[in-house]
Amino acid sequence: QVQLVESGGGLVQAGGSLRLSCVASGRTSSSYAMGWFRQAPGKEREFVAAIRWSGGSTYYADSVKGRFTIARDSASNTVYLQMNSLKPEDTAVYYCAASITWRLRLWEAPAYDFWGQGTQVTVSS
């Protein structure tokens, strides 16, 4: 069992930056990868970024590539999402997710077994 707690959301002006954090607890040794997803009102949940604990391979949605950066700190079991050049269309609830078995398609939600409660990110124009 893995528990995930996101933090760092808030209100920011377009063009600004924000950093989200996700702290994992419980059986963290069983986690193979972590991902970030987001969901805006009236829209489907979409993939944002993912990282593998071993090796640190990263994956990004085309919509955020070059603006967002995902990183992990194994010592603290924390995953970060640095968001730069934010746009109003980035407004959504951002969710952290953990995969406890090896998966290839980390850009798809079924790859993940545990989810955090979400943190709101609002980008004003």
Side-chain angles (χ1 to χ4, degrees):
Q1 188 82 4
V2 177
Q3 293 80 47
L4 306 172
V5 179
E6 305 100 327
S7 62
L11 175 64
V12 65
Q13 193 172 6
S17 298
L18 210 59
R19 185 169 76 164
L20 306 183
S21 299
C22 175
V23 180
S25 61
R27 296 176 61 86
T28 56
S29 61
S30 65
S31 182
Y32 283 78
M34 303 286 288
W36 287 97
F37 288 76
R38 66 187 182 186
Q39 187 167 23
K43 298 187 65 177
E44 294 291 310
R45 177 177 53 185
E46 66 175 350
F47 170 75
V48 177
I51 187 168
R52 298 190 185 278
W53 283 108
S54 180
S57 299
T58 57
Y59 309 83
Y60 296 95
D62 289 340
S63 60
V64 306
K65 191 172 296 184
R67 299 189 299 122
F68 291 10
T69 302
I70 188 171
R72 91 282 203 231
D73 182 357
S74 298
S76 61
N77 293 118
T78 303
V79 175
Y80 303 95
L81 184 67
Q82 178 66 48
M83 305 183 293
N84 299 323
S85 301
L86 284 163
K87 306 174 181 179
E89 50 262 46
D90 294 318
T91 295
V93 176
Y94 284 69
Y95 297 92
C96 178
S99 175
I100 62 172
T101 56
W102 190 89
R103 295 286 190 272
L104 174 63
R105 306 173 72 85
L106 293 177
W107 53 92
E108 296 180 348
Y112 301 90
D113 306 285
F114 300 99
W115 297 79
Q117 80 288 349
T119 185
Q120 176 70 48
V121 172
T122 302
V123 184
S124 62
S125 59

